[in-house]
Amino acid sequence: MADMNQQNQALATVDGGSDNPFFQDWSGRFGVPPFDRIKPEHFRAAFAHAFAEHEAEVAAIAADPAAPTFANTIEALELSGDALARVDDVFHALSGAHTNDAILEIEREIAPLTAQHWNKILMDEALFRRVETLYRERDRFALTAEQRRVLERYHLKLTRAGAALDPASKQRLAAITERLASLGTAFSQNVLADEQSYVLVLDGEADLAGLPDFLRAAAREAAEERGLPGKHAITLARSSVEPFLQFSSRRDLREKALRAWIARGDGGGETDNKALIAEMVALRAERARLLGYPTFAHYRLDDAMAKTPEAVRGLLDRVWAPARAGALADRDAMQAIVQAEGGNFELAAWDWRYYAGLLRKARCDLDEATVKPYFQLDRIIEAAFHTANRLFGLSFERLDGIPVWHQDVRVWEVRDAARRHRGLFFGDYFARSSKHSGAWMTTLRDQQKLEGDIRPLVVNVMNFSKAGEGGPTLLSFDDAKTLFHEFGHALHALVSDVTYPLISGTNVLTDWVELPSQLYEHWLQRPEILREFAVHCDTGEPIPENLLRRLLDARTFNQGFATVEYLASALVDLDVHSQPDAENFDITHFEQASLARIGMPAEIVMRHRPTHFAHVFAGNSYASAYYSYMWSEVMDADAFAAFEEAGDVFDARTAASLRDNVYAAGGSRDPAELYTAFRGRLPTPDALLRRRGLSELTG
Ligand SMILES: [Zn+2]
């Protein structure tokens, strides 16, 4: 592809100077990228150099005159592309967690170039022939189980990228992949722009009605960060807008905040995502057709535990009816409160969280403002570390002086029970306007043993509202679960013990990857953890026993709502990608029709509406795979029961088996095989329904 080389040359003319950290050795001090010296202007040259280097490495593998062997082909591929992985990981850390105009611009430029680069490699004729030969003759080679899996994954990866297609189809598929990369970048930048440009300024005591101290402090801090010192501001970060919707007694302001929140990417104008979605959905359908699948969902799920759209729909449908019934019963109970208060209105979407708070207080004798002072960010981080210590023998030591991308980022060295270095963990916890919304885990380097004992550099990014000057940052119970969730992903990368990068850590199937994260949330919800780490921010007193009991009993409260808002997103995602043809696709109409078909309660909004559904449209990894959380939940509910059955949630034998078969195993074996090795069988959805308190309900 000549035009790619031209573009690479164009890129290379920009700052390839010797002060560019990407052309220097970083292997000292744990191999941490020198964030203090990396500037946006370094990326263009670094990418251009990395693309060219990787291309030359792969060309040499493909042109090797020797007959293909695992070592000269698969291992050689695994050893290639180091420079690209390095610049890519650093760039994505910044573009996700601390972006700016220069990085946004480079992101738009690099996305299609990256797609072009990978197209060229993954569709390379000679390379595919070598891999195909190895794959066909795989029984002839003395491969370890892990090597066999890596070979099979490479073969599948190339096939799914179109390596076996005729030249014309390859060309069309390559164009689709490039275009999708640009569209995904534009989608996520539009959402970010809508989040950055909106703030609900609260002016005076009347606007603050109902807001507890922690929320006022966070709103003051958010206003300060947005250049509005002395005011209070609600932003579209979940940890800002959700508590506002829960506490504000100003119905008019709740409506304003909710409408802004759910209109992200749907506001008309330059940052509207609807046309992008239409194009993406059509291109994905075409991609699937070219590769011989009836729909994108069939293509996507063929490489997942679920295997087929029917299997996914079966699970989602089974849970939908009881979830909806539970939500409607709660809605009626809340409408009764509205009536009793003399409110002359029908409960609306902006009322749900507020009245759910009142209903929870009535039913469970529990309110968020009482609970929150017991959930200090720093103590919950300690709780996550403590749990990792009890389960896997890991310890965490705070490190200073490690270069990071923002002053709020903290770094810990991770050691195992024998005090051996296992990697570094970076925690970036606070919301800021340079950060995309949501919470995620990523790596700056993956564990592997092919190039020596390479230890991982693992990152958690969250969007908690920072407390004002000097005060401890307080979390909701849900925030604390998010912290444990992302830390579970981090452990999957930190505990990883495989040889090959392709299947290291979280490089696994999407409907398996949420198991280590969701499973980890269970330990936060154990009395033995909460007694020690849920201590009051002012008095230092542990959470009182009866509050603890009420908190845990309340876990099934409002689960109808939580399940419905999640499932609606998962079902719409599946529906959108189940169309054989998506010409003239109109997402507004489609969303309405899809929700009408499932009987979506009018008072509940999908957890992610399509126009800001980053999982599905900001990239391709969760497209028609948002169901993965529930698929993994079927397993996590059942997996945690193994500890309960052992009579100890830290049972050493169960923990060792969990480490070996789940957290350390990466993608070294088929996930169903890994799960069975841990549990002796595959699970059914019953434990999930019980945990959500939905097993007694029917639609
Ligand atoms: Zn996750």
Side-chain angles (χ1 to χ4, degrees):
M1 285 177 203
D3 57 347
M4 178 173 114
N5 289 332
Q6 277 161 17
Q7 267 157 321
N8 276 353
Q9 276 158 13
L11 284 174
T13 57
V14 188
D15 199 6
S18 58
D19 62 333
N20 188 328
F22 287 102
F23 300 121
Q24 294 160 1
D25 178 25
W26 308 337
S27 49
R29 202 87 208 264
F30 309 112
V32 175
F35 285 104
D36 49 341
R37 291 187 286 118
I38 292 172
K39 306 265 181 305
E41 55 267 30
H42 295 137
F43 284 110
R44 286 188 174 87
F47 269 109
H49 169 81
F51 286 147
E53 185 180 289
H54 189 209
E55 207 177 308
E57 287 166 342
V58 175
I61 298 168
D64 190 339
T69 63
F70 186 83
N72 75 15
T73 304
I74 301 298
E75 269 186 6
L77 281 172
E78 286 286 87
L79 289 166
S80 72
D82 275 359
L84 183 56
R86 202 162 82 148
V87 61
D88 215 37
D89 288 344
V90 171
F91 186 74
H92 286 107
L94 293 180
S95 68
H98 197 39
T99 192
N100 57 39
D101 287 343
I103 289 177
L104 288 167
E105 191 189 324
I106 298 166
E107 190 179 24
R108 291 191 292 271
E109 234 172 276
I110 291 300
L113 293 181
T114 301
Q116 256 173 30
H117 173 75
W118 283 104
N119 274 336
K120 185 163 183 176
I121 286 174
L122 297 176
M123 291 185 184
D124 186 281
E125 185 89 44
L127 182 69
F128 183 61
R129 270 201 308 275
R130 293 181 77 84
V131 174
E132 174 85 350
T133 303
L134 286 171
Y135 179 74
R136 248 188 292 114
E137 298 173 8
R138 61 194 182 281
D139 292 335
R140 242 172 23 88
F141 300 97
L143 300 178
T144 66
E146 186 182 333
Q147 287 172 333
R148 192 181 164 98
R149 174 91 180 156
V150 169
L151 169 58
E152 288 166 358
R153 296 298 304 165
Y154 261 103
H155 183 257
L156 193 66
K157 189 173 166 176
L158 299 183
T159 312
R160 286 174 63 80
L165 297 181
D166 62 78
S169 302
K170 269 187 184 174
Q171 206 179 13
R172 177 61 192 149
L173 195 60
I176 290 174
T177 307
E178 279 164 40
R179 181 68 186 150
L180 280 171
S182 290
L183 291 167
T185 301
F187 183 98
S188 101
Q189 293 196 357
N190 285 342
V191 176
L192 180 69
D194 279 3
E195 287 168 356
Q196 285 177 334
S197 65
Y198 182 87
V199 349
L200 176 64
V201 180
L202 305 175
D203 212 3
E205 197 50 39
D207 284 0
L208 297 167
L211 307 191
D213 288 345
F214 76 83
L215 188 48
R216 289 171 182 232
R220 258 197 313 276
E221 181 73 19
E224 176 91 38
E225 205 249 350
R226 302 274 177 140
L228 300 161
K231 301 219 184 256
H232 293 83
I234 299 302
T235 71
L236 298 181
R238 188 174 284 277
S239 67
S240 178
V241 69
E242 263 193 341
F244 180 75
L245 291 169
Q246 188 182 344
F247 289 108
S248 173
S249 51
R250 283 283 299 275
R251 190 164 191 251
D252 58 330
L253 295 181
R254 291 202 307 265
E255 178 175 355
K256 246 185 172 170
L258 182 99
R259 284 190 187 279
W261 196 33
I262 68 176
R264 286 170 295 152
D266 192 19
E270 273 186 14
T271 56
D272 193 286
N273 274 332
K274 293 195 284 290
L276 272 57
I277 292 175
E279 195 180 344
M280 290 179 97
V281 171
L283 289 174
R284 283 173 178 166
E286 188 184 348
R287 177 185 185 84
R289 278 199 305 279
L290 283 167
L291 290 163
Y293 294 89
T295 71
F296 182 81
H298 285 90
Y299 162 71
R300 178 63 184 79
L301 297 173
D302 193 29
D303 188 29
M305 277 187 91
K307 296 276 190 279
T308 65
E310 293 71 33
V312 172
R313 206 172 283 285
L315 171 64
L316 301 183
D317 283 351
R318 165 139 190 220
V319 183
W320 174 257
R324 182 173 179 275
L328 292 179
D330 287 345
R331 177 200 61 191
D332 294 346
M334 290 188 280
Q335 186 66 50
I337 299 179
V338 172
Q339 252 45 66
E341 279 182 340
N344 188 21
F345 58 86
E346 300 256 304
L347 192 87
W350 46 88
D351 299 317
W352 192 292
R353 288 173 178 81
Y354 181 77
Y355 284 95
L358 299 185
L359 185 61
R360 185 166 80 153
K361 187 147 179 49
R363 272 196 197 155
C364 314
D365 190 18
L366 194 71
D367 74 291
E368 188 76 20
T370 314
V371 172
K372 195 129 176 171
Y374 291 98
F375 287 88
Q376 301 171 67
L377 171 63
D378 290 359
R379 300 309 309 267
I380 299 305
I381 295 170
E382 277 178 49
F385 290 171
H386 172 86
T387 302
N389 183 264
R390 298 279 302 271
L391 288 172
F392 305 130
L394 299 178
S395 59
F396 296 78
E397 210 168 291
R398 185 80 182 262
L399 288 182
D400 289 320
I402 300 287
V404 290
W405 50 96
H406 185 277
Q407 66 207 27
D408 285 344
V409 179
R410 313 172 192 190
V411 187
W412 289 268
E413 183 181 4
V414 187
R415 291 172 184 271
D416 65 14
R419 301 287 299 151
R420 283 176 310 200
H421 174 77
R422 301 302 292 177
L424 295 189
F425 174 66
F426 296 71
D428 182 359
Y429 295 104
F430 300 124
R432 57 178 169 262
S433 54
S434 64
K435 198 189 263 190
H436 285 264
S437 57
W440 64 91
M441 165 273 184
T442 186
T443 57
L444 296 166
R445 188 171 71 181
D446 289 343
Q447 179 273 332
Q448 55 137 313
K449 288 185 276 197
L450 195 56
E451 293 175 80
D453 185 16
I454 303 295
R455 303 311 316 169
L457 306 172
V458 183
V459 182
N460 271 179
V461 180
M462 260 146 273
N463 268 288
F464 300 140
S465 293
K466 193 176 182 176
E469 206 47 54
T473 289
L474 300 178
L475 307 182
S476 68
F477 196 35
D478 278 346
D479 288 338
K481 276 188 235 168
T482 300
L483 189 147
F484 265 63
H485 178 102
E486 298 306 333
F487 192 70
H489 283 309
L491 288 175
H492 200 185
L494 285 164
V495 175
S496 176
D497 186 19
V498 299
T499 301
Y500 296 94
L502 183 77
I503 44 101
S504 171
T506 54
N507 299 328
V508 299
L509 302 186
T510 315
D511 49 6
W512 172 255
V513 81
E514 298 302 333
L515 170 62
S517 53
Q518 293 184 165
L519 177 58
Y520 207 68
E521 294 175 36
H522 288 259
W523 278 279
L524 170 70
Q525 303 170 58
R526 295 298 306 183
E528 46 274 69
I529 292 295
L530 291 171
R531 279 182 199 121
E532 192 170 345
F533 296 96
V535 298
H536 196 281
C537 61
D538 296 330
T539 65
E541 292 290 319
I543 189 165
E545 274 306 305
N546 100 2
L547 181 56
L548 173 72
R549 186 46 51 211
R550 282 179 284 140
L551 179 69
L552 294 179
D553 287 348
R555 276 178 301 171
T556 54
F557 175 74
N558 208 25
Q559 279 302 301
F561 170 86
T563 310
V564 161
E565 66 157 9
Y566 164 78
L567 281 176
S569 283
L571 282 162
V572 169
D573 168 37
L574 187 64
D575 285 351
V576 161
H577 295 104
S578 293
Q579 305 166 95
D581 183 355
E583 215 146 310
N584 304 319
F585 183 71
D586 174 355
I587 186 62
T588 306
H589 177 257
F590 192 92
E591 178 185 353
Q592 284 163 2
S594 220
L595 294 176
R597 183 183 63 74
I598 58 178
M600 182 73 170
E603 304 81 0
I604 301 178
V605 183
M606 308 163 71
R607 186 166 175 89
H608 308 280
R609 289 194 53 234
T611 56
H612 45 261
F613 203 168
H615 287 84
V616 171
F617 294 114
N620 295 307
S621 62
Y622 280 80
S624 117
Y626 191 62
Y627 76 91
S628 298
Y629 295 90
M630 186 151 278
W631 191 273
S632 290
E633 189 179 334
V634 170
M635 292 182 282
D636 79 64
D638 180 70
F640 192 73
F643 286 91
E644 293 171 324
E645 287 159 21
D648 174 4
V649 298
F650 295 106
D651 178 64
R653 262 189 55 190
T654 313
S657 169
L658 182 68
R659 182 194 60 220
D660 295 345
N661 294 304
V662 178
Y663 285 88
S668 59
R669 281 185 280 161
D670 179 76
E673 209 179 288
L674 288 174
Y675 191 85
T676 309
F678 169 62
R679 196 66 168 115
R681 53 163 175 75
L682 287 170
T684 68
D686 301 331
L688 172 150
L689 286 168
R690 271 198 306 279
R691 187 171 73 163
R692 289 189 174 228
L694 300 172
S695 51
E696 308 300 320
L697 296 159
T698 52

